[in-house]
């Protein structure tokens, strides 16, 4: 009797430590951002999910897509942002960026652009000229990462994170690339304003990976290529799996190999009010953003 209870108790502990799956999301509706980014909006921007995903607000995923060579690079023209950060991950192809602070740069495969729009920025994003002239396969992701209220009106800043600066953990059959946060004691280069883990993981066939996060933090995994089993739940290509805020441990394994992103963070627990490219805490702050933008206070960019 005692023994039976004891083993049941132990099983109970194991099960409560495992993170349970809350839901799986997919959005196969692709749309164009400008004429250069053909994306599926996996996370729709501030929404019902905002609290569950915080501090992540939006995910535009550009699945691999062939572009014809061109002398006029495709992209998206000058537009504003305020109140958050845009994070662009390049997997294939190259993106050029220019903004109203005078910053600019090119991100190539494996690089990440971490742009803090904060108090207000104008920028444009387009295929890098030389790459565009040859054309080829393009594969990217853009995330919007919310800023805590106290940082929303900071000066804008730009972190180019190059592939050789990333934290790398070699698994038995795979690789974890740490962009932000830490895995197995290896840190990523991104400076963030709240606790965030952002990793890119490649698993070979039959590869597996274990991870663990405090249950109060939000965790999701987006499968870019291949498929994955997380804590016994099957997740297919282009699906985002969101975990419950219960339990800690996640075991991810792939039968045929997979390429996925892990997004984890401490929820900001602040109100989210948004209007297009502005994400603030109150309706008044949104009104102020539209006024400041129309009065040219976001700077100048051709
Ligand atoms: Mn933008």
């Amino acid at each position: 009797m005692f023994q039976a209870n004891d083993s049941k108790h132990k099983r109970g502990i194991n099960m409560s430590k495992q993170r349970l799956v809350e839901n799986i999301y997919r959005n196969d509706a692709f749309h164009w951002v400008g004429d250069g980014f053909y994306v599926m909006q996996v996370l729709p921007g501030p929404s019902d999910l905002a609290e569950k995903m915080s501090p992540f607000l939006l995910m535009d995923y550009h699945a691999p897509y062939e572009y014809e060579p061109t002398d006029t690079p495709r992209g998206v023209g000058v537009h504003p942002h305020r109140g958050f950060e845009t994070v662009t991950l390049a997997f294939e192809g190259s993106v050029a960026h220019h903004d109203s602070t005078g910053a600019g740069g090119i991100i190539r495969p494996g690089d990440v652009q971490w742009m803090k729009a904060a108090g207000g920025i104008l920028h444009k994003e387009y295929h890098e000229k030389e790459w565009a002239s040859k054309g080829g396969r393009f594969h990217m992701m853009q995330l919007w990462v919310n800023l805590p209220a106290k940082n929303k009106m900071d000066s804008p800043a730009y972190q180019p994170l190059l592939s050789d600066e990333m934290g790398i953990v070699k698994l038995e059959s795979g690789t974890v690339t740490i962009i932000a946060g830490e895995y197995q004691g290896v840190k990523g280069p991104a400076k963030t304003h709240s606790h965030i883990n952002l990793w890119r993981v490649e698993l070979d066939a039959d590869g597996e990976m274990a991870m663990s996060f405090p249950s109060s933090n939000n965790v999701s995994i987006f499968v870019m290529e291949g498929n994955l089993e997380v804590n016994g739940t099957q997740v297919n290509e282009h699906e985002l799996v969101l975990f419950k805020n219960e339990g800690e441990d996640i075991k991810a394994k792939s039968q045929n190999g997979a390429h996925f992103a892990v997004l984890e963070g401490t929820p900001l627990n602040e109100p989210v009010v948004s209007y297009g490219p502005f994400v603030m805490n109150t309706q008044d702050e949104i009104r102020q953003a539209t006024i400041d933008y129309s009065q040219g206070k976001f700077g100048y960019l051709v």
Side-chain angles (χ1 to χ4, degrees), residues 59-116:
M59 180 194 289
D60 273 347
Y61 176 61
H62 191 305
Y65 183 90
E66 285 287 332
Y67 287 93
E68 295 289 325
T70 176
D71 292 331
T72 41
R74 292 158 157 264
V76 54
V78 177
H79 60 277
H81 292 291
R82 173 180 276 184
F84 59 98
E85 304 188 279
T86 65
V87 177
T88 309
L89 286 66
F91 308 125
E92 293 174 85
S94 300
V95 173
H97 161 92
H98 288 283
D99 70 47
S100 49
T101 71
I106 295 166
I107 53 166
R108 299 191 165 83
D111 298 343
V112 171
Q113 178 208 88
W114 200 291
M115 189 192 76
K116 181 184 183 183

Side-chain angles (χ1 to χ4, degrees), residues 198-212:
L198 177 61
W199 309 334
R200 182 156 82 86
V201 184
E202 289 148 297
L203 288 183
D204 303 333
D206 295 321
E208 58 177 47
M209 177 197 177
M211 56 197 121
S212 189

Side-chain angles (χ1 to χ4, degrees), residues 14-231:
N14 287 338
M15 285 181 69
S16 69
K17 275 205 76 185
Q18 182 177 297
R19 274 259 180 180
L20 300 177
V21 168
E22 164 101 16
N23 212 342
I24 292 178
Y25 301 91
R26 70 177 297 141
N27 178 9
D28 285 318
F30 281 86
H31 70 274
W32 284 98
V33 176
D35 68 356
F37 305 99
Y38 188 55
V39 300
M40 53 169 72
Q41 199 166 78
V42 181
L43 277 179
S47 69
D48 299 349
L49 272 179
E51 214 171 302
K52 292 269 179 196
M53 289 297 306
S54 176
F56 298 96
L57 294 163
L58 172 146
M59 180 194 289
D60 273 347
Y61 176 61
H62 191 305
Y65 183 90
E66 285 287 332
Y67 287 93
E68 295 289 325
T70 176
D71 292 331
T72 41
R74 292 158 157 264
V76 54
V78 177
H79 60 277
H81 292 291
R82 173 180 276 184
F84 59 98
E85 304 188 279
T86 65
V87 177
T88 309
L89 286 66
F91 308 125
E92 293 174 85
S94 300
V95 173
H97 161 92
H98 288 283
D99 70 47
S100 49
T101 71
I106 295 166
I107 53 166
R108 299 191 165 83
D111 298 343
V112 171
Q113 178 208 88
W114 200 291
M115 189 192 76
K116 181 184 183 183
I121 203 166
L122 302 177
H123 79 156
K124 53 184 179 180
E125 301 153 273
Y126 46 89
H127 299 179
E128 186 270 319
K129 203 169 170 40
E130 200 178 314
W131 182 85
S133 71
K134 298 190 186 92
R137 241 164 84 107
F138 193 84
H139 184 196
M140 303 250 156
M141 175 188 284
Q142 186 170 85
L143 299 165
W144 288 11
V145 179
N146 207 359
L147 282 168
K150 65 177 170 50
N151 298 111
K152 280 186 179 289
M153 293 302 286
D154 286 358
S155 299
Y158 180 83
Q159 296 178 66
L161 309 172
L162 302 181
S163 60
D164 61 6
E165 301 171 71
M166 301 296 172
I168 302 288
V169 172
K170 285 279 175 203
L171 304 171
E172 211 169 291
S173 43
T175 305
V176 182
T177 302
I178 301 112
I179 299 161
E182 181 176 344
Y183 181 65
Q184 291 185 357
V186 178
K187 289 190 167 76
K191 290 183 191 74
T192 65
H193 294 271
S194 62
H195 165 84
I196 288 171
N197 275 296
L198 177 61
W199 309 334
R200 182 156 82 86
V201 184
E202 289 148 297
L203 288 183
D204 303 333
D206 295 321
E208 58 177 47
M209 177 197 177
M211 56 197 121
S212 189
F213 306 104
S215 58
S216 54
N217 288 3
N218 292 336
V219 184
S220 60
I221 290 177
F222 178 68
V223 179
M224 295 179 278
E225 295 168 295
N227 48 52
L228 204 62
E229 193 190 299
V230 290
N231 290 349

